[in-house]
Amino acid sequence: MPELPEVETTLQGLIPHLIGKRIDGMIVRQRQLRWLIPYDIENKLNQAYILKMHRRGKYLLIDVESGTLIIHLGMSGSLRLLSHSSPLTKHDHVDIIFATMTLRYTDPRRFGAILWTDDASDYSLLKNLGIEPLENIFTGHYLFSRTQHRHVPIKSFIMDSKIVVGIGNIYAAEALFLAGIHPLIPASRLTEDQCYRLVKAIKQILRRAIKKGGTTLKDFMNSDGKPGYFSQQLKVYGRAGLSCVQCGFAVLQAIKLAQRNTVFCPACQLL
DNA sequence: ATCCGAACCTGACGGC
DNA sequence: TGCCGTCAGGTTCGGA
């Protein structure tokens, strides 16, 4: 489900409701997500006030005085704000309870994570992450310098969170299409100019997707339970076999790359 | 250091 | 209807 725009949409939906609020309790119905939810997390969060909420890559970080609650939505996770009486459905694994509402984590595939750290700046899953794609330090020059001597396909490269965070399968395909770059080109073979174009495309795609509230394919919902509308703007993802919206004649082609479906235009994105 | 595939899990869908 | 294989928005980890 969620790439950076969906996580950002969720975060921005939650912030106005949760900052400064006190957590009155936490109910864990299913501890086994990607990793086990730590057994002491209910104690750590009980009666804690939410000081700050932010995002690092696709990780949602919720700061309280004694540390940080870390939430990752995996492939199928979502967070919604509900009334206390809202009926439970099958994969509602965790509730965080506030005075007037419940924050509910739902995740059918359980690839997501709910973790705790006393010190987010020294947490293994966070400290080796690459840079944020929407920050100014993510430049064509940065990307070009990192591609040197790297032989992986450029699509895998921009999806590598040690290089740049937040770019998943949908937006990687869309950004490469927008930049006119074939997904299979080895990273080291990109010219500096192509790196500039790719970075520009990534920023543009992500910003536009955030503006539309993310991409809803089957079931993505923001924290108010509303879908995102960026799926209507997708130019290659999910369109294999259809004609290219840019050149109008080539048929979009699908290949498997690093176990992920990858769609591109063989005419607009030359190898 | 780099790269690749396996692993985690459920549900939806198409074919027989 | 039911069973089987395939696929799905992520990413860490282990081994080559």
Side-chain angles (χ1 to χ4, degrees):
Chain A
M1 169 194 305
E3 299 190 30
L4 184 150
E6 291 73 43
V7 178
E8 183 67 22
T9 298
T10 299
L11 173 68
Q12 295 306 329
L14 294 176
I15 281 178
H17 296 101
L18 296 184
I19 296 295
K21 297 294 192 300
R22 188 186 69 213
I23 295 171
D24 287 335
M26 182 174 185
I27 300 170
V28 179
R29 302 184 191 82
Q30 167 62 272
R31 283 210 119 74
Q32 190 60 60
L33 304 181
R34 169 146 202 204
W35 294 284
L36 208 61
I37 299 175
Y39 284 104
D40 58 351
I41 204 164
E42 291 98 320
N43 276 336
K44 298 274 191 187
L45 289 173
N46 193 33
Q47 302 304 306
Y49 284 86
I50 295 187
L51 304 179
K52 197 178 163 196
M53 299 178 64
H54 43 129
R55 179 187 60 69
R56 181 75 174 95
K58 297 173 191 165
Y59 290 94
L60 278 165
L61 307 176
I62 301 177
D63 292 345
V64 299
E65 196 186 351
S66 58
T68 301
L69 172 67
I70 301 169
I71 301 178
H72 196 292
L73 301 177
M75 287 278 252
S76 57
S78 65
L79 282 171
R80 280 170 308 154
L81 273 176
L82 301 163
S83 72
H84 287 147
S85 60
S86 203
L88 278 179
T89 56
K90 195 167 179 192
H91 303 288
D92 295 340
H93 304 314
V94 175
D95 283 356
I96 297 175
I97 299 165
F98 297 86
T100 63
M101 62 208 163
T102 295
L103 178 64
R104 179 164 292 168
Y105 176 84
T106 306
D107 185 1
R109 292 181 73 180
R110 289 191 268 135
F111 283 3
I114 296 184
L115 299 164
W116 171 265
T117 176
D118 296 333
D119 178 10
S121 68
D122 186 40
Y123 190 71
S124 59
L125 292 179
L126 300 173
K127 68 178 181 186
N128 295 318
L129 289 177
I131 65 183
E132 289 287 333
L134 294 177
E135 286 184 0
N136 292 335
I137 46 172
F138 183 56
T139 62
H141 180 75
Y142 167 82
L143 192 70
F144 183 66
S145 69
R146 297 296 302 264
T147 55
Q148 300 311 109
H149 311 296
R150 292 296 303 270
H151 295 152
V152 286
I154 186 60
K155 176 169 179 258
S156 304
F157 189 75
I158 60 173
M159 290 176 71
D160 180 351
S161 64
K162 292 189 291 300
I163 304 297
V164 54
V165 294
I167 303 166
N169 203 34
I170 298 178
Y171 300 113
E174 294 297 316
L176 287 165
F177 175 77
L178 186 59
I181 295 169
H182 195 292
L184 285 181
I185 297 178
S188 59
R189 283 196 24 225
L190 261 67
T191 64
E192 190 156 7
D193 184 58
Q194 284 179 310
C195 287
Y196 274 83
R197 274 165 37 211
L198 183 50
V199 165
K200 199 176 160 193
I202 288 168
K203 288 175 189 277
Q204 193 176 331
I205 286 286
L206 294 178
R207 286 208 184 95
R208 286 174 49 210
I210 290 169
K211 233 178 235 173
K212 292 276 177 184
T215 297
T216 293
L217 291 180
K218 331 168 35 178
D219 55 4
F220 170 71
M221 295 290 162
N222 65 23
S223 52
D224 303 325
K226 292 193 187 135
Y229 295 99
F230 195 70
S231 45
Q232 298 157 16
Q233 324 262 325
L234 297 176
K235 299 218 170 28
V236 286
Y237 184 88
R239 296 194 72 250
L242 301 175
S243 62
C244 173
V245 293
Q246 185 168 280
C247 68
F249 64 89
V251 174
L252 298 180
Q253 191 181 337
I255 54 172
K256 211 58 146 180
L257 200 173
Q259 318 171 86
R260 312 298 297 275
N261 195 35
T262 302
V263 186
F264 64 97
C265 173
C268 300
Q269 297 166 269
L270 294 178
L271 195 54

